[in-house]
Amino acid sequence: MRPIRPLFAARREGSPRRRISPLLAAAGLATALALTATACGSGEDTDAGAETSTAAAGDGKIQIPDDIKDRLKEHGIDIDKWKGGAWKDWDQDDWLREAGDYINPVIKDLWDPDRMREAEDPDQGKGVDENDLSGDQGVTDPEPAPVEATAVPAGYHENAPEAGKVFFDSPEGTMVCSATVVEDPAHPGKSNLVWTAGHCVHAGKKGGWYRNIAFVPSYNDAAMSATEIPAATKEEVAPYGVWWGDWAQTSDQWIEQGGATGGEGASYDFAVIHVTPEKGSDGKSLEEMTGSALPVDFDAPAVSEVGDITATGYPAAKPFDGETMHRCTDEPGRLSIAKSDPTMYRIGCTMTGGSSGGGWVATGSDGSPALVSNTSIGPVTAGWLAGPHLGTEAKGIYDAVSKKFATQ
């Protein structure tokens, strides 16, 4: 699905800034829309000439699975050149796009604290093309009142252990999103699955898969301020390690329709990432390391029957700095981008860019807390967020990723 809330890319001093151009939405939506999650963080590229791998073997050596080697060869990619910096080549003809083309070999120590921090400063927002909203809007409730985002107390591992940040590289530079550890039906209690937005892993209709995708659970667990964190160690910034996405899957609708502006594809803006530790985790899964994983409810009640929804993420656009975790809780309303697409959830929330992909938690159909959506889009002026209603398409992606690694 497409993010309703504007997400902004991180900017380093002296890097170009793109101005948001608000456009009036058609058919009753009087607010401009923009991507919220992918636009987070353009920074300078660092040397990628470190060792490349996907997981640490029992003998301490790092190896690249044969299937990744084979797929790299199929696309004419030399792994030595790739790890030496060839991943920085974003030639459109060579940008892997198709659903089965995902390739993301680990580049050890690429995501150091400085590089992660660079991906957090607001840099760019992308306005919506009013043509995106020219169709029948279906059922859309009145715009919700803004709900002030509140800081999650320090000790994120105790207060929101499933939440974290996704880092990745795009043609514009380093970027950041939010994400959630979710249960894996094939590996109860030992999940390596992460839920986020589709636009956090794939550029949509005009691009392909992003690169160097990694997840950091409980990023900045101690909630250090922007002035404190530059002196932090990697262990303090990433207390439960850096986990690389060895597989990612998003909807065909996002790949075919999604773009840099809100609207098309937003109702299918979700993704599942399977991760592996950059460094040895003593055989523990992501869920075992974090101590928690949320179930995903693909049969959540209709908006009229849902109570409060809590959205969690790392907003990076002003007045936030991207270093600390925030959340909003509100009763959802409905937002329809196009009558032919599923209606989205919408809540009041002042979180900004960087919160994209973050989990939305509500009481699931069985009465227990469950992930029911993810932050996808929001207005350029902030004030509310929208996320997809997870149904058949989302479940198909979730099941496919789970089954792919069921025997591993």
Side-chain angles (χ1 to χ4, degrees):
M1 315 211 150
R2 234 179 291 186
I4 293 186
R5 168 159 292 264
L7 291 189
F8 304 83
R11 183 178 70 90
R12 296 191 61 184
E13 192 66 25
S15 64
R17 177 181 296 277
R18 297 184 184 178
R19 183 179 297 276
I20 297 171
S21 301
L23 299 173
L24 292 180
L29 279 181
T31 309
L33 306 183
L35 283 174
T36 87
T38 32
C40 274
S42 149
E44 293 179 2
D45 289 326
T46 58
D47 181 16
E51 184 176 4
T52 301
S53 68
T54 53
D59 59 3
K61 295 180 179 179
I62 305 228
Q63 300 176 344
I64 300 171
D66 290 339
D67 62 336
I68 289 183
K69 287 182 179 178
D70 291 343
R71 280 187 288 122
L72 288 168
K73 290 178 181 178
E74 288 174 7
H75 291 284
I77 295 173
D78 182 297
I79 189 61
D80 292 325
K81 292 181 179 179
W82 183 273
K83 70 182 182 182
W87 63 264
K88 299 177 187 177
D89 180 7
W90 295 96
D91 184 288
Q92 194 70 23
D93 292 337
D94 297 328
W95 193 355
L96 305 182
R97 167 176 177 77
E98 300 306 318
D101 283 350
Y102 178 80
I103 294 172
N104 195 51
V106 175
I107 301 177
K108 186 178 178 183
D109 294 327
L110 175 67
W111 291 112
D112 60 23
D114 288 340
R115 201 163 192 270
M116 285 189 268
R117 188 175 64 253
E118 289 166 3
E120 297 170 339
D121 300 325
D123 175 33
Q124 66 183 359
K126 298 174 181 178
V128 116
D129 181 344
E130 54 190 358
N131 290 332
D132 286 342
L133 305 174
S134 60
D136 190 328
Q137 295 303 293
V139 180
T140 295
D141 293 322
E143 181 177 323
V147 172
E148 285 294 323
T150 59
V152 174
Y156 298 153
H157 182 254
E158 300 298 326
N159 296 294
E162 306 91 357
K165 297 182 78 169
V166 169
F167 297 92
F168 57 96
D169 283 299
S170 78
E172 288 75 33
T174 56
M175 300 285 176
V176 64
C177 280
S178 300
T180 306
V181 183
V182 294
E183 293 180 352
D184 181 355
H187 296 286
K190 298 182 178 182
S191 175
N192 284 309
L193 301 185
V194 175
W195 192 282
T196 191
H199 71 261
C200 298
V201 298
H202 195 286
K205 61 183 176 182
K206 292 186 178 180
W209 294 103
Y210 292 123
R211 297 169 185 171
N212 303 324
I213 298 172
F215 174 67
V216 177
S218 296
Y219 173 85
N220 185 21
D221 186 65
M224 290 178 284
S225 69
T227 57
E228 296 172 320
I229 205 164
T233 65
K234 189 170 183 177
E235 289 69 28
E236 290 173 320
V237 172
Y240 299 95
V242 176
W243 296 72
W244 283 66
D246 53 4
W247 187 255
Q249 202 155 331
T250 185
S251 67
D252 290 340
Q253 290 91 337
W254 175 256
I255 290 175
E256 295 167 2
Q257 303 171 18
T261 58
E264 295 176 350
S267 295
Y268 300 93
D269 184 21
F270 41 73
V272 178
I273 307 171
H274 184 277
V275 298
T276 189
E278 177 177 303
K279 297 181 180 179
S281 60
D282 296 325
K284 292 183 179 179
S285 66
L286 175 62
E287 181 177 359
E288 290 172 307
M289 287 292 287
T290 62
S292 186
L294 283 174
V296 184
D297 193 342
F298 299 103
D299 191 27
V303 168
S304 59
E305 300 174 7
V306 175
D308 289 343
I309 286 181
T310 297
T312 301
Y314 285 83
K318 292 181 179 180
F320 306 97
D321 59 22
E323 301 298 345
T324 53
M325 189 187 299
H326 287 71
R327 58 171 49 137
C328 293
T329 299
D330 193 20
E331 290 187 9
R334 295 166 291 187
L335 176 67
S336 178
I337 300 298
K339 191 174 182 178
S340 59
D341 291 338
T343 298
M344 303 175 74
Y345 291 123
R346 179 165 64 166
I347 62 172
C349 184
T350 60
M351 285 199 292
T352 58
S355 61
S356 280
W360 289 30
V361 179
T363 300
S365 54
D366 66 353
S368 301
L371 185 133
V372 297
S373 187
N374 57 263
T375 298
S376 174
I377 54 176
V380 171
T381 54
W384 53 266
L385 297 173
H389 186 283
L390 306 182
T392 303
E393 181 72 24
K395 188 176 188 305
I397 291 169
Y398 175 76
D399 289 344
V401 178
S402 176
K403 290 176 181 177
K404 181 177 178 64
F405 294 89
T407 59
Q408 298 183 25

